[in-house]
Amino acid sequence: KVVMKKADIITALFLLVTGLVMIFVIIPAQTYPGEEYGVPPATVPTTAMAIVTLMAGILLVQRLLDQRKNIKDTPSPINRLQWLHITGLTTLLFFGLAAIRFLHFIPGGILILAVLMFITGQRKVLTIILVSVPIPFLIYAALWYGLRIPLP
């Protein structure tokens, strides 16, 4: 049986470590300094991860203090099957990122959307095509032509 305090502590630790790795390793490695005018490219992702990391730290401290006070624990509202479902979909999204990396944005995006639609219950091929094909094209057009953000 998963209890909330234990789940919160594990989640907070995971988010704390992940956030620190993102802030100090991944974001600096994946962005350029931005020597031209304006806000440097690393500002938004670093700020977002700093907020997530700070909130994870607050959650961790709060839950550790709750344990010292011997406050009664409550069962998790999410059961093991739901955690398994979340983990499976997250794994699929990571495979989707690999598809984008190797197949490039548009074919990889189409593949991700089609697979996720199928897994979540959509069985009509026409609907899968009408949704999964134009969305990556629209996102690509908006990001490249509208914001000048290069995509793989």
Side-chain angles (χ1 to χ4, degrees), residues 49-91:
M49 285 312 304
I51 291 169
V52 169
T53 306
L54 177 67
M55 293 174 82
I58 291 169
L59 176 64
L60 180 62
V61 169
Q62 182 184 27
R63 290 300 178 235
L64 290 173
L65 291 176
D66 284 352
Q67 279 195 339
R68 285 187 182 171
K69 295 177 187 175
N70 290 329
I71 295 174
K72 207 171 196 181
D73 205 354
T74 58
S76 173
I78 300 176
N79 64 35
R80 290 189 191 278
L81 183 62
Q82 291 166 329
W83 279 115
L84 184 63
H85 187 78
I86 291 168
T87 304
L89 287 176
T90 303
T91 303

Side-chain angles (χ1 to χ4, degrees), residues 6 13 20 22 36 45 51 55 60 66 81 83 130 135 146:
K6 183 178 177 184
L13 284 171
L20 292 172
M22 290 288 289
E36 60 273 354
I51 291 169
M55 293 174 82
L60 180 62
D66 284 352
L81 183 62
W83 279 115
L130 289 175
I135 288 176

